[in-house]
Amino acid sequence: MVEIKLKKGKEKAVLQRHPWVFSGALEKIKGTPENGDVVKVCSANNDFLAYGYYNDQSRVAVRLLEWDENQVIDEVWYGQKINTAIESRAHLLKNKDTNAYRLIFSEADFLPGLIVDKYADFLSVQILSTGIEKAKPMIIDVLVKALQPKGIFDRSDATARTHEGITAENGLLWGEAPAAFIAVKENGITYHINIAEGQKSGFYCDQRDNRLLLAEYADGKNVLDCFSYSGGFSLNAFKHGAKKVTSVDSSALAIETLKQNIELNKFNSKNHTAIQADVNKQLRAFKEEGKKFDIVILDPPKYAPSRSALDRAARAYKDLNRLGLLLLESGGLLATFSCSGAVDIETFKQIIAWAALDAGKEVQVIKQFSQPEDHPVRLSFPEGEYLKGLLVRVL
């Protein structure tokens, strides 16, 4: 096995079980590894530290897998990691009101670069590292044995693959291809989702708990759901008694799917307005019209993919939330989210404070939102805590 020696003093993060070794920490490579190969990582004193995937195309030169030198990274090892991840979610899988979950969450489940989502009887897989790409046949075999899905679909078309030097993939990996729309349940609500062409892996399981928490405030309210996608917040609001819901998304497919989901759940479409538009432009249009809402939901895409984009992202978040706050009267609620890992909760609170100041509003934070338990956070990998949100009351 190829051995990689780290520079003196660069072993601290590895000893603390952080799973990333950056290229600048490497001192010497003994051998000629191919990208995706498992390598042995050693300290400057030649002491064993960990095993991991090597990639010279990425800033993260080694993605660490295992800190026990006696372990062998083979099909048995993958089977143990995958089955442990599935078993840790066993109580969730018994819930008859929900059948859409994240089963494997990359570094959080000791499988960096592997995401597996379960949608009813299908699995949607994202492979985001060269190491997982090489191990794909073993991984698919383990998933089939463990879960007996109808089919496994590859949604490895994320930009993260380009940073690893591998091309995007989208297609059937095993079994039966999913229909254009398949039905899944979440919190007792049925959704038609598109695995092959929908955003990310087909659905956003990470907002499951937050949709339910926010819906408790929706009874009798006029709700604006921005970046609505297939309607998670909109549908939960209707289920919990919302008087009227307006959903805004720039995607025609998302809006069409949302309309199907309104009908599927037999909610009154007369009380729903679906708008395909750029959210920022639409918020400005609402402001010009003098429209007001009781609850405004802002769940935008990732504005800060890295720390280098943080300043630009902060300005974008501030402007978006300023516009949202201007559509609320006293007592109104703003539910605002960030899925940017580079934006921590304290930074996000500061951004919302600036937005409130610019909007001339005094606000209270009455609830904090986070990602659900099928998106766990390893304390040795705080970067895995990417989703955060605030429920803010306008005074």
Side-chain angles (χ1 to χ4, degrees):
M1 182 181 290
V2 171
E3 187 175 299
I4 291 181
K5 182 188 284 191
L6 300 186
K7 293 175 181 176
K8 188 173 182 180
K10 294 296 184 180
E11 72 282 354
K12 183 177 178 182
V14 181
L15 291 170
Q16 292 174 342
R17 300 296 183 97
H18 193 283
W20 291 351
V21 177
F22 291 96
S23 55
L26 274 54
E27 177 68 35
K28 186 178 181 182
I29 301 175
K30 296 180 181 177
T32 312
E34 292 184 6
N35 289 336
D37 282 354
V38 176
V39 297
K40 180 187 289 189
V41 179
C42 298
S43 69
N45 297 325
N46 294 314
D47 296 323
F48 171 83
L49 294 173
Y51 296 118
Y53 298 133
Y54 175 76
N55 190 338
D56 66 7
Q57 298 291 301
S58 173
R59 281 185 64 240
V60 182
V62 188
R63 297 182 185 274
L64 301 179
L65 302 163
E66 179 59 63
W67 284 258
D68 182 350
E69 189 174 8
N70 297 316
Q71 290 290 327
V72 178
I73 312 300
D74 57 10
E75 188 164 358
V76 172
W77 184 90
Y78 282 106
Q80 289 172 341
K81 294 297 182 191
I82 289 169
N83 282 301
T84 296
I86 294 168
E87 287 164 11
S88 72
R89 295 153 170 87
H91 64 293
L92 296 173
L93 297 173
K94 293 175 183 175
N95 184 345
K96 291 187 175 10
D97 286 334
T98 302
N99 62 5
Y101 292 104
R102 177 148 294 178
L103 294 181
I104 298 172
F105 185 37
S106 199
E107 283 90 351
D109 287 304
F110 298 89
L111 290 161
L114 178 63
I115 290 172
V116 179
D117 290 328
K118 183 179 187 295
Y119 298 133
D121 297 322
F122 290 89
L123 301 181
S124 181
V125 174
Q126 286 184 291
I127 294 171
L128 307 175
S129 70
T130 51
I132 294 292
E133 183 68 34
K134 278 199 167 185
K136 183 161 64 175
M138 286 188 288
I139 290 166
I140 297 306
D141 189 50
V142 172
L143 289 171
V144 170
K145 288 176 182 174
L147 296 161
Q148 287 95 45
K150 280 186 178 178
I152 303 177
F153 199 85
D154 191 351
R155 281 302 311 271
S156 302
D157 46 12
T159 54
R161 282 175 70 93
T162 61
H163 301 310
E164 291 276 305
I166 45 180
T167 56
E169 299 286 342
N170 183 305
L172 186 65
L173 288 173
W174 182 90
E176 174 187 326
F181 289 98
I182 68 165
V184 300
K185 287 192 300 181
E186 182 189 89
N187 299 329
I189 295 171
T190 303
Y191 296 80
H192 272 165
I193 68 166
N194 186 312
I195 292 178
E197 297 177 18
Q199 294 175 23
K200 295 293 185 180
S201 64
F203 189 61
Y204 290 97
C205 304
D206 55 1
Q207 289 283 26
R208 179 179 58 253
D209 293 352
N210 299 331
R211 289 169 184 142
L212 198 56
L213 287 169
L214 184 56
E216 294 175 3
Y217 297 86
D219 188 22
K221 298 295 195 295
N222 183 8
V223 178
L224 173 62
D225 180 10
C226 298
F227 308 97
S228 57
Y229 190 42
S230 54
F233 286 106
S234 297
L235 295 166
N236 275 272
F238 270 132
K239 186 178 179 184
H240 288 77
K243 179 176 64 178
K244 183 174 174 53
V245 176
T246 302
S247 310
V248 183
D249 199 284
S250 62
S251 164
L253 176 61
I255 291 295
E256 181 56 36
T257 306
L258 170 52
K259 289 177 179 177
Q260 289 182 28
N261 290 336
I262 293 287
E263 293 177 9
L264 197 62
N265 290 277
K266 297 182 171 56
F267 296 131
N268 190 346
S269 60
K270 291 179 181 178
N271 296 330
H272 181 246
T273 302
I275 302 173
Q276 184 191 346
D278 174 86
V279 167
N280 287 68
K281 289 180 180 177
Q282 189 60 51
L283 292 177
R284 288 186 175 91
F286 284 148
K287 179 178 175 293
E288 291 299 316
E289 294 165 19
K291 293 204 73 164
K292 296 290 183 179
F293 299 88
D294 300 310
I295 300 174
V296 173
I297 304 160
L298 302 175
D299 185 21
K302 187 187 294 184
Y303 284 171
S306 62
R307 290 199 176 276
S308 62
L310 193 52
D311 287 346
R312 179 167 45 82
R315 289 192 293 272
Y317 281 123
K318 186 184 80 164
D319 194 47
L320 175 68
N321 282 278
R322 178 184 66 83
L323 291 169
L325 286 166
L326 288 171
L327 301 179
L328 292 165
E329 299 283 16
S330 178
L333 298 175
L334 173 71
T336 180
F337 297 90
S338 167
C339 61
S340 299
V343 179
D344 62 33
I345 187 63
E346 294 309 316
T347 300
F348 194 54
K349 285 179 181 177
Q350 185 62 66
I351 291 169
I352 304 308
W354 291 332
L357 192 63
D358 283 2
K361 304 282 187 180
E362 188 71 47
V363 300
Q364 295 172 325
V365 174
I366 60 174
K367 193 182 289 289
Q368 286 189 198
F369 299 110
S370 60
Q371 60 211 60
E373 64 176 284
D374 54 338
H375 294 65
V377 179
R378 269 169 63 189
L379 291 182
S380 56
F381 184 63
E383 293 89 340
E385 189 173 12
Y386 69 97
L387 180 64
K388 77 286 301 173
L390 300 170
L391 184 60
V392 172
R393 179 187 289 122
V394 175
L395 299 177

